[in-house]
Amino acid sequence: MGRKEDNIARAQAVARNPEFIRNIGTAAHIDHGKTTLSDNLIAGAGMMSEELAGQQRMLDFDEQEQARGITINAANASMVHTYNGKEYLINLIDTPGHVDFGGDVTRAMRALDGVIILVCAVEGIMPQTETVIRQAIKERVRPLLFINKVDRLINELKVTPEEMQKRFTSIITDVNRRIASQLPEPLNKEWQVNPADGSVAFGSAFHNWAVNVPFMQKSGINFKDVYEYCKNEDQKSLAKKSPVHEVLLNMAIEHVPNPVEAQKLRIPVIWKGDMESEIGKSMMKCDPNGPVALMVTKIVIDPHAGEVALGRLFSGTVARGQELWISGMPNMQRSQTVSLSVGADRIPVDSMTAGNIVAVAGLKDAIAGSTVTSVKDAEPFEKISHYTEPVVTVALEAKHMKDLPKLVEVLRTVAKADPSIQVEINNETGEHLLSGMGELHLEITTYRIVNDFKIEINQSPPIVVYRESVKGKSEVFEGKSPNKHNRFFVEVTPLEKPIIDAIKTGEISVDGKIKDAKELAKKLQDLGMDREEAKGVVMFKDNNVFIDGTKGIQYLNETIELCKQGFEEAMNLGPLAQEKVMGLKVKLVDAKLHEDSIHRGPAQVIPAFRSAVYGAMCLGKRVLMEPLTKIYINCPESVMGDALRELQQRRGVIDEITQEGEATVIVARAPVAEMFGFASTIRGATQGRALWSTENSGFVPVPPELQPKVVEQIRTRKGLKPEPYDAAYYSA
């Protein structure tokens, strides 16, 4: 282990000087070579044997990652690289490419200042590549480009040098178009990747070589030599002359801003507090002597140390034994250990200064996305919003009664470590619902519960998560309280699409209380909401909004909190199949309240308001929404018919079919409910010759002819009466 400790000792010396720190990540579509590249960068820094690099997959240290050959968790490593006679500390995060673990990529981006986007020279830009570029830009993380698997282009596709250059140009243009379309002036020009200035590299992570223009000028190698080496199967010599770690780490040092520069650009985007406050100024300067501001991007469950919070330190110095506050939590907590990470290992250090990626044990209340500070009640960082939500659920129960309390504890821990997982614990039925991004996500989570936490469980087959909404505007519906003394008149309409999009991107914050009602009203008006309605917004629940459209109703200000609870309950369990409601505008038009407060307590108001919302939804024509998945299939022309047949049997809609040389690329959309078991059937139908990937694509209404049947199935599964109630039931 000597080399590793020696490296950490050098790292500590450099870590105090932010000018010599670079926080970088790798991000790409699945199987484009991120982990292999990370291995080679670590080997180049002397942290592991060069012979094993690429096979050992040092940052895939989880046994499930090793078994499946994919990255599941974002993993970090800190290493020292010498460039122009000076030592630099490189904090590297290797992120997953599989769409089910996209949340991990979004969170990792918050810790980075630059990201190496890998694109496979053979496959080109894929759906997940677009997504990671979008995530990087949103967090103001500088993208660099590495075109990987160049050897496959030469040896398998047998392209000529001219065709090779043409393909490179088209990939670079494609990446730049995406960067330019998402950035404001002048960054949209400054952040373009350009082979001439060395912000684009070409190579093979697997064979350990890479080139970019500055390195070619220094070493005298040109594209013709690269072509010859690959053609003659002599990539070993090329790796000696032009090692991948040297080219890419030099590129990162040249083009990724150091934390001091990066934070000037990033803090105004990711933190909405007062820039003139002490903590604001300190973060803008990346000041090691200022208050502590640490953004937790990941929680690792360590069998010995317990929960370890990994994150980016934007300001101040974190030391062992320090007292820190976690946003939204009442109690102060003490850091037990501070360390640097290398894959599965953590090397303890006494303290770490601003600009670094650091691991802190002892912060029990921290979750991924928490803000940790030394100032009580400091403004937290912006919420890390991931653009998709869980769409598949499994129901779990402990096999043995004695494991029940332990299972509840483990589920809470799992949800803490992976915020993309949602856990619902139903104390009445003893059922525990685990929702995730897809089949694989849930499979791996349940595997961990059984093997890492040693709890035997029974689980249901995967169930799809549906949503409820309405077709159009409803008439006003009257909801009465059980004692008939209070009446609420409510109408519902679908919420304007631009507003739903703004909630999704985080432009409109729906968490907690409304801070600035005037500013919110202006924003909503700009996005198409009526002026009076925008002024009457009372609260949000997910992407549903409650509006008070009444004037001068006596006692309403005393009752509005109870109405909010009724609204919240109605949004959590819709009237059609007790699924969550989405995209709904609920407007209170009028109310008649009993003058005696004893007759308008919670037991009267909450059910009355809930019934009013349910009844109005019945009048607005309830619709069940199902999650869609977008599918990309790359297959030889000979098996295209089989792949299309497979999609059409699953209610798939074909968006486009394009021809790329020998291969056919099919882009389609299909309901998640029809996609279970797709992996094995597509393999069988195409004799394993199809490459495919999916990404979540929002919710659409279930076809009207299928809706009654699906609703009945969901209600029966939940132990409800098969037929949903009509409006008359809610007005009784």
Side-chain angles (χ1 to χ4, degrees):
M1 288 295 285
R3 285 152 82 187
K4 210 177 274 183
E5 266 83 12
D6 169 51
N7 201 310
I8 294 287
R10 286 162 62 205
Q12 271 183 276
V14 185
R16 309 242 168 252
N17 189 345
E19 271 179 57
F20 293 98
I21 298 173
R22 298 291 183 274
N23 295 310
I24 62 166
T26 55
H29 191 77
I30 190 166
D31 277 344
H32 279 197
K34 297 176 292 298
T35 303
T36 307
L37 173 66
S38 301
D39 257 15
N40 284 317
L41 298 183
I42 293 169
M47 310 279 275
M48 63 187 268
S49 134
E50 295 198 12
E51 280 64 55
L52 286 176
Q55 279 120 41
Q56 185 176 337
R57 301 208 313 279
M58 184 170 176
L59 295 186
D60 278 359
F61 47 83
D62 182 279
E63 63 166 310
Q64 279 283 288
E65 298 183 307
Q66 291 281 352
R68 294 170 187 267
I70 61 168
T71 302
I72 295 166
N73 308 304
N76 338 6
S78 300
M79 53 195 158
V80 177
H81 177 66
T82 307
Y83 175 63
N84 287 349
K86 293 186 179 123
E87 289 199 329
Y88 288 82
L89 172 63
I90 310 273
N91 292 316
L92 172 78
I93 298 186
D94 174 41
T95 67
H98 193 289
V99 64
D100 281 14
F101 310 108
D104 242 27
V105 187
T106 316
R107 289 186 287 277
M109 288 291 179
R110 182 59 61 93
L112 304 175
D113 299 322
V115 62
I116 298 170
I117 305 279
L118 282 85
V119 175
C120 168
V122 178
E123 292 183 8
I125 287 193
M126 296 290 277
Q128 209 48 25
T129 322
E130 290 183 40
T131 305
V132 293
I133 293 173
R134 191 166 67 233
Q135 286 166 333
I137 297 290
K138 190 174 162 194
E139 292 280 340
R140 294 294 184 269
V141 173
R142 169 87 199 256
L144 304 175
L145 178 62
F146 177 48
I147 298 179
N148 192 19
K149 306 193 185 185
V150 172
D151 54 316
R152 284 187 58 201
L153 202 58
I154 298 164
N155 296 338
E156 290 174 29
L157 296 191
K158 308 278 186 229
V159 297
T160 63
E162 291 72 33
E163 288 170 339
M164 179 170 87
Q165 301 256 19
K166 206 189 272 174
R167 184 169 285 232
F168 290 164
T169 308
S170 108
I171 291 175
I172 293 164
T173 312
D174 231 357
V175 169
N176 277 334
R177 198 182 71 242
R178 288 178 167 83
I179 292 172
S181 68
Q182 291 168 42
L183 272 172
E185 297 263 351
L187 278 186
N188 57 359
K189 298 212 173 41
E190 288 170 18
W191 277 18
Q192 298 272 301
V193 294
N194 181 354
D197 68 11
S199 53
V200 181
F202 313 85
S204 164
F206 186 74
H207 291 291
N208 216 342
W209 64 269
V211 292
N212 68 353
V213 173
F215 202 86
M216 285 156 99
Q217 288 163 349
K218 194 171 101 181
S219 63
I221 291 174
N222 59 27
F223 272 123
K224 208 165 158 213
D225 301 335
V226 168
Y227 193 82
E228 291 306 317
Y229 277 119
C230 290
K231 219 170 150 194
N232 302 332
E233 301 287 332
D234 184 17
Q235 296 188 54
K236 267 215 160 99
S237 307
L238 189 52
K240 282 198 170 60
K241 289 185 178 172
S242 198
V244 66
H245 74 272
E246 203 167 317
V247 174
L248 287 186
L249 295 180
N250 289 358
M251 174 165 98
I253 289 166
E254 276 285 311
H255 294 281
V256 172
N258 64 47
V260 180
E261 293 305 313
Q263 287 181 203
K264 286 178 191 157
L265 196 66
R266 294 192 62 214
I267 294 297
V269 176
I270 62 174
W271 188 72
K272 293 289 188 266
D274 174 12
M275 289 299 167
E276 291 306 307
S277 62
E278 188 191 357
I279 200 164
K281 285 179 179 166
S282 175
M283 286 197 287
M284 287 296 274
K285 291 197 304 233
C286 187
D287 182 357
N289 303 316
V292 170
L294 170 75
M295 172 86 197
V296 178
T297 57
K298 188 173 178 58
I299 299 283
V300 178
I301 310 293
D302 184 292
H304 311 296
E307 291 169 17
V308 179
L310 282 162
R312 166 72 178 264
L313 186 57
F314 286 99
S315 153
T317 299
V318 171
R320 198 169 56 218
Q322 192 173 4
E323 297 184 344
L324 296 166
W325 297 92
I326 293 161
S327 57
M329 292 295 167
N331 302 328
M332 181 272 298
Q333 303 198 338
R334 196 180 289 277
S335 64
Q336 286 163 358
T337 59
V338 177
S339 43
L340 277 175
S341 303
V342 182
D345 299 321
R346 279 187 306 281
I347 317 279
V349 293
D350 289 334
S351 63
M352 276 314 265
T353 50
N356 282 289
I357 293 174
V358 55
V360 184
L363 306 177
K364 285 191 294 295
D365 289 340
I367 58 168
S370 299
T371 302
V372 178
T373 61
S374 53
V375 182
K376 196 182 178 188
D377 300 331
E379 175 75 24
F381 286 98
E382 283 292 278
K383 188 166 163 258
I384 302 176
S385 57
H386 187 54
Y387 61 99
T388 56
E389 48 187 320
V391 291
V392 182
T393 298
V394 285
L396 306 177
E397 54 183 27
K399 259 189 192 167
H400 311 294
M401 277 309 285
K402 65 176 175 37
D403 285 337
L404 194 60
K406 193 176 166 195
L407 177 63
V408 173
E409 195 48 48
V410 165
L411 286 173
R412 291 207 172 105
T413 307
V414 163
K416 209 176 195 184
D418 181 358
S420 306
I421 284 277
Q422 280 180 4
V423 173
E424 253 176 77
I425 297 172
N426 188 331
N427 294 328
E428 288 167 26
T429 60
E431 191 180 52
H432 308 93
L433 298 180
L434 193 69
S435 306
M437 299 290 181
E439 265 184 293
L440 179 67
H441 194 194
L442 290 177
E443 204 180 301
I444 282 163
T445 306
T446 50
Y447 176 91
R448 283 186 183 149
I449 291 170
V450 174
N451 291 282
D452 298 359
F453 296 101
K454 305 286 182 274
I455 297 179
E456 288 184 53
I457 52 174
N458 294 323
Q459 69 180 78
S460 70
I463 311 155
V464 175
V465 174
Y466 288 89
R467 292 278 185 269
E468 298 184 26
S469 196
V470 294
K471 261 199 185 125
K473 186 173 178 177
S474 73
E475 293 163 27
V476 175
F477 184 87
E478 178 189 358
K480 305 185 193 78
S481 60
N483 64 10
K484 305 286 185 278
H485 290 320
N486 305 283
R487 293 159 190 262
F488 295 96
F489 299 85
V490 167
E491 65 176 30
V492 299
T493 11
L495 187 57
E496 290 82 356
K497 181 146 189 334
I499 297 175
I500 295 176
D501 294 341
I503 291 172
K504 207 171 181 182
T505 57
E507 194 187 322
I508 292 178
S509 167
V510 294
D511 292 334
K513 284 201 169 105
I514 295 168
K515 285 182 188 161
D516 187 338
K518 271 190 182 158
E519 192 194 329
L520 176 69
K522 187 181 178 308
K523 238 185 222 173
L524 292 170
Q525 243 177 289
D526 293 344
L527 291 166
M529 190 183 271
D530 174 78
R531 182 162 174 259
E532 287 305 309
E533 284 186 350
K535 278 162 58 180
V537 170
V538 176
M539 75 175 287
F540 288 95
K541 173 77 178 112
D542 303 327
N543 56 5
N544 304 295
V545 60
F546 170 28
I547 293 168
D548 176 10
T550 62
K551 290 271 188 296
I553 305 279
Q554 221 175 349
Y555 314 120
L556 184 62
N557 58 347
E558 297 166 28
T559 317
I560 200 81
E561 282 305 316
L562 297 174
C563 294
K564 281 179 170 180
Q565 282 180 32
F567 165 72
E568 223 170 309
E569 283 184 18
M571 295 304 101
N572 279 334
L573 298 171
L576 200 53
Q578 289 202 354
E579 294 282 344
K580 282 186 174 170
V581 177
M582 67 178 279
L584 196 69
K585 187 159 65 175
V586 173
K587 186 174 174 185
L588 179 63
V589 184
D590 196 2
K592 291 187 170 56
L593 300 170
H594 196 282
E595 59 199 36
D596 191 344
S597 62
I598 208 159
H599 291 304
R600 46 184 162 84
Q604 303 299 331
V605 172
I606 295 174
F609 195 85
R610 192 176 56 219
S611 294
V613 175
Y614 285 167
M617 284 180 75
C618 295
L619 299 180
K621 301 259 186 342
R622 297 168 292 189
V623 285
L624 192 67
M625 314 286 281
E626 63 180 351
L628 269 196
T629 185
K630 203 169 188 180
I631 310 147
Y632 300 80
I633 298 177
N634 189 319
C635 62
E637 208 175 331
S638 54
V639 295
M640 178 181 92
D642 302 310
L644 288 173
R645 197 170 316 114
E646 199 48 56
L647 284 171
Q648 276 150 354
Q649 283 170 359
R650 295 169 180 270
R651 292 202 278 132
V653 177
I654 312 298
D655 286 346
E656 59 174 314
I657 299 176
T658 49
Q659 208 66 28
E660 282 184 14
E662 304 278 299
T664 304
V665 178
I666 303 166
V667 181
R669 277 168 307 164
V672 171
E674 305 285 344
M675 289 297 288
F676 294 126
F678 181 70
S680 50
T681 53
I682 189 82
R683 240 177 260 135
T686 60
Q687 297 103 51
R689 292 164 72 197
L691 286 168
W692 63 284
S693 66
T694 62
E695 63 176 346
N696 294 341
S697 181
F699 286 82
V700 293
V702 171
E705 64 277 10
L706 288 177
Q707 181 166 312
K709 185 178 160 217
V710 179
V711 168
E712 189 179 315
Q713 282 170 350
I714 300 171
R715 289 183 70 93
T716 308
R717 190 187 77 228
K718 291 183 174 179
L720 305 167
K721 188 170 144 280
E723 276 292 300
Y725 298 113
D726 60 1
Y729 172 84
Y730 296 111
S731 64

